[in-house]
Amino acid sequence: MAWLGDTPTPGDPGSAAGVYNVRYEFNVRVPMRDGITLSADIYRPDAPGRFPVVLARTPYGKNTQRAWHYGNFFARHGYVFVWMDVRGRGDSEGEFVPYRNDAKDGYDAIEWLARQPWSTGDVATWGGSYLGRIQWLTALEKPPHLKAMIVHVTPSDPYVEWPTGTPGPMHVCWNRMTDGRVLQYVDKIDWMKVYEHLPLVTMDEAAGFVSRHWREDCAHPTLDEWWEPLRYQHRFHEIDLPVLHVSGWYDDEQIGTPLNFAGMVRHAPSERARRGQKLIMGPWGHRVNESRKLGEVDFGPEAVIDLDGYEVRWLDYWLKGIDNGIGDEPPVRLFIMGANRWRDEHEWPLARTRWTKFYLHSGGRANSRFGDGVLSTEPPATDEPPDVYLYDPARPVPFITDPLSSQIGGPDDYAAIETRGDVLVYSTPPLDRDVEVTGPVKLVLYASSSAVDTDFMAKLVEVHPNGFCQRLCDGMVRARFREGMHKEVLMEPGKVYRFEIDLWNTAQVFKRGHRIRLEIASSAFPKYDRNLNTGEPLATSTRMVVAENRVWHTPAWPSHLILPVIPE
């Protein structure tokens, strides 16, 4: 055993004021129903009595500096904090199959922890990304002693973030990182070259290994029964729990967090659970609350908050019954970029939103930022000529990102990308006043193609007076899945189709003198795999054709961007 910390504050040892010494128990074996054991490191207050438990289950290794920080922090504040290696990872027995065993293992772990002599029987779960999704999957198993969840940067259901019918190319980096029992070193692999490999199904070999999990996922391009064990967003009505949802506007899995908050507020089975949802969205990437600066953008001194302290307050309310006022506070806390300040709200999306249509216009030459593309709140009055570009899968439009899968994109400058002729650019004139856009962003696009299948990508950009073109949010549609991910329906070449593209969410004040801009292309590589335009099977095809794609903006086909404008 070892100890760390200050002398406990006198008074009720379960109060928010208590600061405890910490006792450690490493590599504790926790039995699962099938006889294997998972390994847990337990940080608990070194004091008599029972304490609520916070459980984090990870495939990334529980014996890290980060684990040490959080284990000690929560234990010092009166919680037993348990880090556990998921099945087949680290010191846990069994085989690692991503997500497939975590729901039942989570149930067994929670119920085991509830029975321990130092436990009050009240358990919360905590963690982000993989650790977040498996909390939702565990909650569907309804462990009786699970009382609350804190979920960061949570992945959505399959094909919500990447509606392509394939794993994203950068996911193969994650597969390599989690290959075997411990984290693998991936920094020196030439990932951009790996992502160019065709066919997709053997991209793992291009990275120097073979991944059964990558290949199995590639074999299921539609939302079939294979994916059902990984889905939870259609089952919020089964989850009767308070949840603290945390993410960042530049989290590469950001779309799930606001969806989950709104879904639980609307569909959770009890009024207590519906009122027990909290949402925090900061100016962060996939690692929340890490820095005031992301890429080239400094979000100011308010960007980093005492998130740890807030989480303790929230747990004190739900697990210790301390009436600290958090239940009466507004449920939504948003960082408004551009203004660089936090604001409390009462719902998501905001009730006062003015859903404003910005129509696409041009004289048929919106190619690049040097073209004639315009965004306007006035719909097309005449049949404007379509904007035409060639999409060549051998020369895709780049998506600016670090090549590792740990963070995909950020507030990057797309000025250079916008010089390409296969990128359509539509901009407002410089704004004569500040305009706040906070909420979900959507594009209704009328488009046609010479190909039977192609992609359409859309990106919302803020253009600064100095020429910096800051990415805010983006999304895409693969034409064969325009009717949903349950089936593939190819296009008729030359026919105009209506596409809806979810550009995810943002909270941005476009300053006076800045411009609102929309980019449209047919690739964003390597965030998304390249559509080869042939309609052939996605995972195994290698043949490419060049597609001539057209974007229409006429009275009959009025392509338009829908922005959630917030009144001053």
Side-chain angles (χ1 to χ4, degrees), residues 6 19 21 23 96 109 157 159 165 182 199 201 240-241 245 248 264 331 333 336 367 388-389 423 441 468 500:
D6 304 322
V19 178
N21 294 322
R23 173 172 295 196
F96 178 60
D157 287 351
Y159 297 142
V182 297
V201 70
D240 194 12
L241 295 169
H245 312 252
M264 286 294 289
R333 189 156 180 77
I336 310 301
N367 310 75
V388 185
Y389 63 95
V423 179
V441 178
F468 181 70
E500 289 193 6

Side-chain angles (χ1 to χ4, degrees), residues 254-319:
Q254 171 241 92
I255 187 174
T257 296
L259 282 176
N260 293 346
F261 170 80
M264 286 294 289
V265 168
R266 192 173 302 118
H267 299 298
S270 69
E271 180 67 15
R272 178 179 179 273
R274 290 190 292 272
R275 292 177 61 86
Q277 305 302 308
K278 294 281 188 182
L279 174 66
I280 298 175
M281 295 293 296
W284 310 316
H286 199 56
R287 288 183 177 272
V288 299
N289 203 41
E290 190 171 69
S291 171
R292 60 182 276 176
K293 189 174 181 182
L294 194 60
E296 298 181 43
V297 179
D298 187 336
F299 293 103
E302 296 184 34
V304 176
I305 62 175
D306 182 15
L307 183 60
D308 294 353
Y310 184 87
E311 291 180 351
V312 165
R313 281 188 66 218
W314 192 81
L315 290 169
D316 285 348
Y317 181 81
W318 288 107
L319 269 64

Side-chain angles (χ1 to χ4, degrees), residues 63-294:
N63 186 24
T64 66
Q65 183 179 13
R66 183 171 180 268
W68 181 265
H69 164 76
Y70 285 109
N72 280 284
F73 176 81
F74 282 101
R76 285 164 60 91
H77 285 81
Y79 292 89
V80 178
F81 197 94
V82 179
W83 279 101
M84 182 177 291
D85 290 326
V86 299
R87 180 182 293 243
R89 295 287 294 167
D91 296 317
S92 289
E93 298 173 348
E95 179 188 5
F96 178 60
V97 183
Y99 300 112
R100 300 281 167 170
N101 298 301
D102 293 308
K104 289 182 170 57
D105 286 353
Y107 181 106
D108 293 351
I110 288 167
E111 295 307 299
W112 183 87
L113 291 168
R115 295 192 299 269
Q116 300 313 298
W118 31 255
S119 169
T120 62
D122 293 329
V123 181
T125 52
W126 179 95
S129 196
Y130 190 104
L131 290 69
R133 179 189 267 173
I134 65 176
Q135 291 183 64
W136 289 103
L137 300 178
T138 296
L140 292 172
E141 297 289 316
K142 297 182 173 59
H145 292 90
L146 177 59
K147 303 301 181 183
M149 302 193 301
I150 297 177
V151 288
H152 299 178
V153 296
T154 307
S156 291
D157 287 351
Y159 297 142
V160 172
E161 296 153 26
W162 278 264
T164 57
T166 65
M170 300 180 75
H171 190 65
V172 80
C173 175
W174 184 87
N175 282 123
R176 174 58 192 152
M177 195 182 305
T178 56
D179 190 36
R181 304 194 66 86
V182 297
L183 284 179
Q184 306 297 305
Y185 181 71
V186 299
D187 296 42
K188 295 302 182 181
I189 295 174
D190 186 351
W191 287 108
M192 297 304 290
K193 182 178 180 181
V194 170
Y195 301 147
E196 294 175 355
H197 175 83
L198 291 174
L200 291 176
V201 70
T202 57
M203 190 180 289
D204 53 350
E205 291 184 11
F209 75 120
V210 175
S211 171
R212 172 170 66 89
H213 312 312
W214 169 265
R215 296 184 179 206
E216 287 175 341
D217 290 349
C218 284
H220 296 270
T222 59
L223 196 59
D224 58 18
E225 288 302 311
W226 167 259
W227 297 111
E228 193 60 29
L230 276 62
R231 298 182 67 206
Y232 65 92
Q233 289 176 312
H234 60 312
R235 298 176 65 183
F236 291 131
H237 62 281
E238 300 178 39
I239 300 174
D240 194 12
L241 295 169
V243 182
L244 174 57
H245 312 252
V246 183
S247 187
W249 299 120
Y250 285 103
D251 170 25
D252 52 48
E253 295 184 304
Q254 171 241 92
I255 187 174
T257 296
L259 282 176
N260 293 346
F261 170 80
M264 286 294 289
V265 168
R266 192 173 302 118
H267 299 298
S270 69
E271 180 67 15
R272 178 179 179 273
R274 290 190 292 272
R275 292 177 61 86
Q277 305 302 308
K278 294 281 188 182
L279 174 66
I280 298 175
M281 295 293 296
W284 310 316
H286 199 56
R287 288 183 177 272
V288 299
N289 203 41
E290 190 171 69
S291 171
R292 60 182 276 176
K293 189 174 181 182
L294 194 60

Side-chain angles (χ1 to χ4, degrees), residues 4-9 19-22 76:
L4 174 74
D6 304 322
T7 302
T9 301
V19 178
Y20 296 88
N21 294 322
V22 180
R76 285 164 60 91

Side-chain angles (χ1 to χ4, degrees), residues 21-70:
N21 294 322
V22 180
R23 173 172 295 196
Y24 310 112
E25 297 177 73
F26 297 123
N27 198 25
V28 176
R29 310 311 300 183
V30 180
M32 300 292 106
R33 67 188 68 180
D34 61 354
I36 75 153
T37 63
L38 305 188
S39 177
D41 289 348
I42 300 175
Y43 301 71
R44 58 188 178 93
D46 186 30
R50 298 172 181 264
F51 300 89
V53 180
V54 181
L55 170 64
R57 294 179 295 136
T58 179
Y60 304 120
K62 67 185 185 309
N63 186 24
T64 66
Q65 183 179 13
R66 183 171 180 268
W68 181 265
H69 164 76
Y70 285 109

